[in-house]
């Protein structure tokens, strides 16, 4: 079967939490890890007096440009593009400074994604696709296809969605 | 009836041809007008020796930031937003430098458009909407809703689409 699959960027293709943790730990001499975030976002666990500064991190120039690539995605995504119609659908309006950084990041790491297949949007229910792979289940509201929840610390305890643990699970789901 | 309506930016909401003509006329001391473009784009009518420079215009900083607003849109769009679910769907990948300019332009002229309702995309068939108002009929290919062709010099002789002459026609179509 050939599907149209929309794939979220932050926390699915880009390891945004790794970037956020690394910035936080560096700035505050802390040692927070992914394991400290089960069921929570970074903003939920930092001390209240750090919150304001932490919230400015995604606004700092370069934040979205040098995020590490999610393990496994470099191998699986190009294969997915050959077999299916793949779009990258990413919320970019929260931090409008990130358009160019996100675009350049995609061009560097995933040249298999044509310009015409990149969508910067706010509400994701505007996307017409068979599947949306996303770490935020609220993006499935009103989406006409099937939402697949990509595993992330903050959604650890969420139920009621088909969950994809990692890119190997995406490979099994769509390329087996 | 309440519809989801996706609206293109260049040549529908933004008078991009006016901007392109003005730049061309200023640079080459010419006097081209909209009337010279019936059935053609600006790139079709300029002398061959000007073409290369004309094609760089949309890449110049500021090109998308100070485009004039299309007559009538300032009055009709806010009303449309109150009655329908309106998205702005604009191709931005051809000139990736334009993301921020297009975003800032929308924020200045159309504060009725929430961030969540802005979509920067390539292929528009990824848009899930009842209607797409666009001046390029190729954007209707694969679009699951109904395409409405917004009148522009380059599409003057195209047939087979419901045509909207101007923003007053949009008002009659969706607000009567």
């Amino acid at each position: 079967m050939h599907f149209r699959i929309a794939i979220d960027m932050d926390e699915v293709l880009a390891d945004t939490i790794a970037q956020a943790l690394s910035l936080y730990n560096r700035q505050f001499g802390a040692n927070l890890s992914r394991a400290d975030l089960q069921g929570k976002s970074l903003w939920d666990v930092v001390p209240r007096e750090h919150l304001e500064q932490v919230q400015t991190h995604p606004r700092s120039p370069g934040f979205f440009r040098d995020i590490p690539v999610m393990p496994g995605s470099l191998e699986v995504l190009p294969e997915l593009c050959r077999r299916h119609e793949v779009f990258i659908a990413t919320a970019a309006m929260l931090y409008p400074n990130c358009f160019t950084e996100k675009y350049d990041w995609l061009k560097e790491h995933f040249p298999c994604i044509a310009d015409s297949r990149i969508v910067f949007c706010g509400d994701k229910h505007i996307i017409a696709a068979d599947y949306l792979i996303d770490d935020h289940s609220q993006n499935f509201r009103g989406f006409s296809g099937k939402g697949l929840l990509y595993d992330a610390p903050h959604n650890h305890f969420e139920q009621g969605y088909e969950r994809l643990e990692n890119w190997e699970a995406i490979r099994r789901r769509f390329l087996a």
Side-chain angles (χ1 to χ4, degrees), chain A residues 6 21 23 25 27 38-39 51 53 64 68 75 79 81 96 105 115 120 144-145 147 150 152 168 176:
Chain A
L21 283 169
L23 272 174
N25 288 336
Q27 183 171 8
Q38 298 305 295
L51 187 58
Q53 275 191 275
F64 291 98
E75 297 75 37
E79 216 180 318
C81 288
W105 187 94
D115 282 0
F120 288 145
S144 59
Y150 191 88
E168 191 46 44

Side-chain angles (χ1 to χ4, degrees), chain A residues 76-145:
Chain A
V76 178
L77 188 68
E79 216 180 318
L80 210 62
C81 288
R82 283 192 290 274
R83 288 268 291 276
H84 299 283
E85 186 186 358
V86 174
F87 281 82
I88 304 303
T90 180
M93 305 307 157
L94 208 57
Y95 307 110
N97 61 310
C98 73
F99 297 134
T100 311
E101 294 189 9
K102 285 191 163 197
Y103 177 84
D104 291 343
W105 187 94
L106 279 171
K107 293 282 110 180
E108 178 189 347
H109 298 294
F110 297 98
C112 60
I113 298 291
D115 282 0
S116 59
R117 299 291 182 84
I118 302 172
V119 186
F120 288 145
C121 59
D123 290 350
K124 290 195 181 168
H125 65 262
I126 189 75
I127 302 289
D130 300 305
Y131 293 95
L132 169 60
I133 302 177
D134 206 295
D135 63 309
H136 285 287
S137 61
Q138 68 263 35
N139 287 329
F140 304 149
R141 268 200 306 260
F143 173 64
S144 59

